[in-house]
Every structure is written in C-alpha cells, then in structure tokens.
Amino acid sequence: MATKYIFVTGGVTSSLGKGIISASLAKLLQARGFSVTIQKFDPYINIDPGTLNPYEHGECFVTEDGAETDLDLGHYERFLNVPTSQANNVTTGRIYHHVITQEREGAYLGKTVQVVPHITDEIKRRMLLLGQTGEFDIVITEIGGCVGDIESLPFIEAVRQLRWELGVNETCVIHLTLVPYLKAAGELKTKPTQHSVRDLSEAGVQPDILVCRSEYHIPSDLRKKIALFCNVKQNSVIESIDAETIYDVPLLMRKEKLDERVISKLKLPHKADPNLDTWKEFLGKLKNPTSEVNIALVGKYVELPDAYKSIIESFVHAGSANECKVNIKWFQSENITDENVAGLLQDMDGVLVAPGFGERGFKGKIESIRFVRENKIPFMGICLGMQCAAVEFARNVLGLEGAASTEMDPETPHPVIDMMEDQKQITQMGGTMRLGAYTCELKKGTKAYSIYGKSKISERHRHRYEFNNKYLQAFEEAGMHATGINPDTGLVEIIELQNHPWFVAAQYHPELKSTVLNPHPLFVKFVKAAINHTKSK
C-alpha cells in the first residue's frame, strides 16, 4: 500500500488544539493496526524553537536524535508511544535556509529563485520524506498557524499542489475551526467557520473533513448548515467539545467517527476496530484516584504552564500509574526567599525544581532545595534543578563559600557546575548544546538503580553546563552520591542524597520520554514517595 497523507490545518484562531486532534486521530488509526507518524510544519522563521523564549512558544521538546522542536511533538510521542525525529518538525526558517544554501552553491543553474516553485518544492519534498521511508502507512502533517496568515500561504500552496499530484484518494485535508457561543444571542455561530473555509478554498484547498471546536454540543441542523456552506458532507462535520483531559479526545473523536471518515476518504482497508483497552484503563485510573498529593513546581516560567508541558503530562502519567491525583502547585522561584520558604513549602508532599536557563530565580531554587533537604521532603531536580542541588550542597553542607555555576557567576571560586571544554569555543546559541539521547550507567544498590530496575539507561539532554568532577570526591564523602554516570565521558548524570527519604536529581530531562503507555519511572517513584510522605505526616 502506498503511503497516504493527511493534512491538518487550522482557522479562526490559534490554540484550537490541532496537535491534540492530530495525535488523537493518529492514536485511533494506530489502534486499528496502521503504522502512523505525525509531523509539524511551523511557519516561523526561526530555524527551530531552541532559541525561543518559553513565554512565546511554550517548552522546547527535544527528540532522541537531538532536534529542538515544537511542543506538539511531545503530544505525538505521548499519544503514539513512538519516538519522533529531526524530520518530524520543519520550520519556514529551515526551508528557506536550505533553498538559499542551494542557490549559493549554484544548484538552480542561474534560475530566478522564487516562492513558487522553489520554496513550495522544498516544502513538498519534506512533506513526503517520512512517507518515502516505507515505514508508515499514513503520514499526518500538521500545518502551524492560521489559514489566512501570510506566513502559512506557501504551506497551503504546497498542500494544493500535492493533492493534485498524488491523486484524489491519496490525501485528506482536515480543517479545524471554531464555532463560538454568543452569550447575548444565546446561540452558536457558524460564520467564523464559513469564513475560514472560504479562505482555505481561495488558496485552492477544499477541506474533506471539518473538526469544529466548541464549548457546547453542535446540533444536527447547525452541522447541516456548516456542511451546506462549506462543501463537505454532513457526516464529515465533526464536533470537538472541550474535554476534561486531553487523553479523552481520542475516545471523543472515535465517538464522532473521525477515524471512519478518514478511512473512507483515503480508501484504506478496514482493519479491526480500534483496540483502546489500555488507553481506557489509563483513563479509568486517572479519573478514579485513591490518594492525593500536592507537589510544588518551582520554576521561572510558571505564569505559562505550557513552558513545562512535558513535566505536567509526566505527572498525569505517573498519577494514573499510582492511582493518585497529583495537584501541581506553581511557585515562581524569583519570589522564594529564606524568610518565606518554610511558609510556602512546608505543606508540600514533594518539590520539583524545574529546568531553565539564566540567573533569574536561581536564589529561590537554592532556598527551596535547602528547605526540602533539611526537612526530608521528597525532592526531584531536572537539569538546572540538579545543578542547583549541587550548588546548594556545596554551599551549605561542604561550606564552599561562593560556590556556583559559571553560568550564573563566571568568577566563582568554586565552579561546582562548569562548562565542558568543547562548549567554551561556541559562539552561536542555536543547536549547540548537548542535545538528544545519551547513555547513562547506574550504580547497583542505589536509589537510581532501584527506580529504573536496570543498570544501563538512555535519556535525552538539553544543556551546556556539567557537574565539575573535581568536586566529586568531596560530595560523595559528605553523602551526596553520583549514581548515574555517562560511560563515554565520565560526566555525572544523576545525584542522590543519602539519609533522605527521596532526594534525586538528574542532569537529563526524564519528562521527554514519559508516555501514556510508558510512564517515566522517575516520576512514578517520585509520586510514590510523595504518597508515602503524606502518610508519614
């Protein structure tokens, strides 16, 4: 069977949930036995989101092969339980960079290089790349932004050309729109959807299926009206109502028969009905918890939860695995001081110090860690959180005055966290950190080993600074042990504190590998430790 292509576009407004709809459809098709992958095409000119402020774009998700990508790829992995790669996220910046590089090398033989055909040809080439590997029956391509935006026009044009080139049953366009409820009029309005479809049609692309986001159920007469004005069949007007959790969406889309409409449009063989038993079991545990914990998330981007999307979802997975409701309490690290830390954190069952870059909020993270270390509250540190744990220990236990990371204080007398030699020569910001999957060996008999249940693991990284091994002996003698080491470089990956119920910090990002079907063991055991803490109060 030749690979089939599904394109998901959005209109009316951003943040309607194209990523969740794409991931949910992929889950349903996967549950029917098809091999599916999803890719995201982003219309911004950054080469990748690695240099974007998390307040602008949420977190930056890192793949196994070290690509810094859009946070929607996190949803794809969490839903499908299949790793994504460099090829799954493409930006306008990357497309233009490639075409301009080709032009400088003389690849176009003196031709005038234009948006059509050169840019659109490169977009089409990348849209088809994953399908040409032979690994996938279906490739879902999510187009970022909104139809009608100047930025996304070349992508829509590429979709138009591909539909023409590939044939009528090889592609399917799903358009996600909004059907708002006007309180004053007391009714749902279809006009924004009509305008959005008209914009898409003007660009030469007629959608096959409309997914209509709404806060209320869309009655059949409104569906009929949308179908009539938008040139789609009535049973291809799909309602997407606000869900209690994003993990309900595959089941809601199944009820609306989205997968069946796609199968019919693409003339796919009818495989078995989707097997969603494990998914339903996960949701059952998630919605019927037997215990509850409060976990503090101490970070510097807490005003925008999307900046910590993968961490939040990892707690959802770990909560379900423990049949426990995890309440995340947000703490802006800039506001934490040695005077108020006890009042803020003493009632918490666990504290996670989040990753991040730069000096802002560093002191608050140090104070939080000192408090949980001294008061035996379960603690987990990720990336910068692990580095803060090392700095706090150096200052307050080893008595190394002025100990710091050279990221925060280049002149520190005790650089317990320092930059690797090969990073010191780097002048460019983008894509130059230690990125992607690296192996780590765990020492037997340690908490880290008992968490994972094996001695060799692989985890994803995104950082530039490392634990300085010159201080390792002093740390270990004082009770802070390096229990996970990278076998090739000797770099410290995990530190854990002896004589503490649960104090574990990792240099890597465990949240990037947690999925519905495989909750990350670090989060699962951290939530378990928090449950035990509630019982010991």
Side-chain angles (χ1 to χ4, degrees):
M1 182 179 100
T3 303
K4 307 274 188 175
Y5 295 89
I6 299 169
F7 298 99
V8 180
T9 58
V12 187
T13 157
S14 59
S15 303
L16 285 183
K18 290 192 297 291
I20 302 296
I21 292 294
S22 301
S24 299
L25 172 60
K27 180 77 223 166
L28 291 174
L29 293 168
Q30 185 193 54
R32 283 176 177 271
F34 293 104
S35 166
V36 191
T37 189
I38 321 177
Q39 53 188 2
K40 173 93 188 269
F41 279 59
D42 274 311
Y44 49 74
I45 297 175
N46 305 60
I47 296 281
D48 60 42
T51 53
L52 287 177
N53 183 335
Y55 283 131
E56 288 260 339
H57 210 74
E59 76 172 5
C60 172
F61 187 81
V62 180
T63 59
E64 286 285 292
D65 61 354
E68 293 177 286
T69 67
D70 185 79
L71 63 78
D72 272 337
L73 270 73
H75 291 311
Y76 307 163
E77 290 202 8
R78 288 188 280 274
F79 276 61
L80 292 182
N81 206 33
V82 176
T84 53
S85 72
Q86 190 92 32
N88 292 74
N89 193 197
V90 178
T91 66
T92 292
R94 186 160 277 158
I95 300 279
Y96 272 85
H97 186 267
H98 179 85
V99 170
I100 291 166
T101 305
Q102 292 275 89
E103 185 273 332
R104 292 288 81 189
E105 290 169 1
Y108 299 114
L109 303 173
K111 285 258 191 305
T112 305
V113 179
Q114 295 175 291
V115 174
V116 181
H118 301 99
I119 295 297
T120 49
D121 280 355
E122 178 59 16
I123 293 172
K124 286 192 295 185
R125 184 182 76 80
R126 296 200 184 224
M127 284 176 169
L128 298 174
L129 267 181
L130 286 167
Q132 289 159 350
T133 60
E135 290 174 46
F136 305 106
D137 301 321
I138 301 159
V139 175
I140 299 176
T141 302
E142 180 195 339
I143 311 268
C146 256
V147 166
D149 293 351
I150 290 173
E151 291 98 328
S152 50
L153 276 174
F155 294 100
I156 303 297
E157 170 59 19
V159 172
R160 182 194 71 77
Q161 292 178 24
L162 271 184
R163 299 199 84 188
W164 183 249
E165 289 162 20
L166 292 172
V168 71
N169 296 321
E170 305 308 306
T171 65
C172 174
V173 172
I174 298 171
H175 189 54
L176 188 62
T177 73
L178 180 67
V179 178
Y181 179 78
L182 286 192
K183 209 171 175 183
E187 59 183 350
L188 289 163
K189 289 293 183 187
T190 65
K191 192 59 81 179
T193 291
Q194 294 176 42
H195 279 304
S196 181
V197 172
R198 189 180 67 192
D199 278 353
L200 190 57
S201 302
E202 280 178 1
V205 176
Q206 168 62 39
D208 302 299
I209 298 168
L210 294 179
V211 176
C212 302
R213 274 302 300 272
S214 175
E215 292 170 14
Y216 297 90
H217 286 292
I218 303 171
S220 63
D221 60 326
L222 274 195
R223 293 192 194 212
K224 201 170 179 181
K225 183 179 177 183
I226 291 169
L228 176 67
F229 282 108
C230 298
N231 291 342
V232 297
K233 291 180 179 165
Q234 194 177 334
N235 63 3
S236 291
V237 178
I238 306 283
E239 168 191 284
S240 172
I241 203 150
D242 291 357
E244 190 185 332
T245 156
I246 57 170
Y247 300 108
D248 279 330
V249 179
L251 302 181
L252 294 172
M253 289 302 107
R254 170 83 187 111
K255 204 169 150 200
E256 283 284 305
K257 301 187 173 166
L258 174 61
D259 50 334
E260 289 179 30
R261 302 309 311 143
V262 167
I263 284 170
S264 156
K265 167 68 180 78
L266 293 174
K267 300 274 192 287
L268 286 162
H270 262 280
K271 297 200 179 187
D273 276 354
N275 177 0
L276 294 162
D277 294 348
T278 47
W279 195 269
K280 287 173 180 167
E281 191 184 320
F282 160 80
L283 275 171
K285 286 183 181 173
L286 182 65
K287 292 182 177 185
N288 301 289
T290 55
S291 56
E292 191 169 340
V293 295
N294 293 319
I295 288 180
L297 193 152
V298 178
K300 62 187 246 190
Y301 306 115
V302 295
E303 295 82 1
L304 183 77
D306 265 7
Y308 301 113
K309 193 68 187 163
S310 293
I311 292 175
I312 297 167
E313 299 308 325
S314 298
F315 276 125
V316 174
H317 309 153
S320 173
N322 283 291
E323 296 185 51
C324 171
K325 182 170 192 265
V326 178
N327 301 314
I328 297 177
K329 308 289 183 187
W330 301 89
F331 291 94
Q332 169 55 263
S333 52
E334 276 189 289
N335 300 337
I336 297 176
T337 63
D338 56 346
E339 287 89 29
N340 68 12
V341 66
L344 294 172
L345 299 181
Q346 64 192 3
D347 295 331
M348 294 293 131
D349 306 310
V351 174
L352 182 142
V353 172
F357 292 92
E359 195 176 354
R360 186 166 70 84
F362 187 67
K363 288 193 177 98
K365 290 181 176 180
I366 300 281
E367 281 307 323
S368 305
I369 294 167
R370 179 188 61 76
F371 182 79
V372 296
R373 178 179 59 77
E374 291 174 354
N375 291 280
K376 305 277 193 263
I377 296 170
F379 165 76
M380 180 169 164
I382 298 177
C383 200
L384 182 64
M386 175 267 203
Q387 298 177 0
C388 290
V391 170
E392 189 279 329
F393 194 80
R395 288 179 184 178
N396 299 325
V397 178
L398 300 179
L400 301 175
E401 204 176 316
S405 162
T406 50
E407 180 184 9
M408 316 306 164
D409 178 7
E411 305 301 316
T412 172
H414 297 291
V416 288
I417 304 292
D418 199 4
M419 195 181 271
M420 295 182 295
E421 283 306 313
D422 60 352
Q423 287 281 336
K424 288 182 179 171
Q425 316 309 320
I426 287 170
T427 53
Q428 286 199 320
M429 295 288 281
T432 53
M433 291 177 277
R434 185 146 81 98
L435 288 164
Y438 287 84
T439 51
C440 168
E441 282 178 0
L442 307 178
K443 293 180 182 169
K444 289 194 172 159
T446 62
K447 198 168 249 105
Y449 184 83
S450 71
I451 289 166
Y452 282 92
K454 55 185 178 185
S455 56
K456 199 164 197 171
I457 59 167
S458 167
E459 293 283 2
R460 297 182 198 175
H461 295 67
R462 182 178 182 243
H463 64 98
R464 196 169 260 125
Y465 293 80
E466 303 282 355
F467 182 88
N468 187 341
N469 282 341
K470 289 174 190 163
Y471 293 90
L472 189 53
Q473 192 180 342
F475 267 71
E476 300 226 317
E477 284 168 2
M480 178 77 86
H481 290 252
T483 56
I485 303 283
N486 179 297
D488 305 315
T489 56
L491 294 169
V492 173
E493 299 278 21
I494 304 174
I495 56 174
E496 61 184 68
L497 189 59
Q498 306 300 294
N499 308 320
H500 188 285
W502 211 93
F503 189 106
V504 180
Q507 179 59 81
Y508 50 80
H509 289 260
E511 72 275 18
L512 299 176
K513 289 188 78 162
S514 188
T515 69
V516 168
L517 297 182
N518 281 318
H520 198 286
L522 262 176
F523 281 90
V524 173
K525 295 299 194 320
F526 179 46
V527 170
K528 186 92 173 64
I531 295 169
N532 293 338
H533 183 77
T534 58
K535 291 173 184 167
S536 67
K537 278 181 183 175

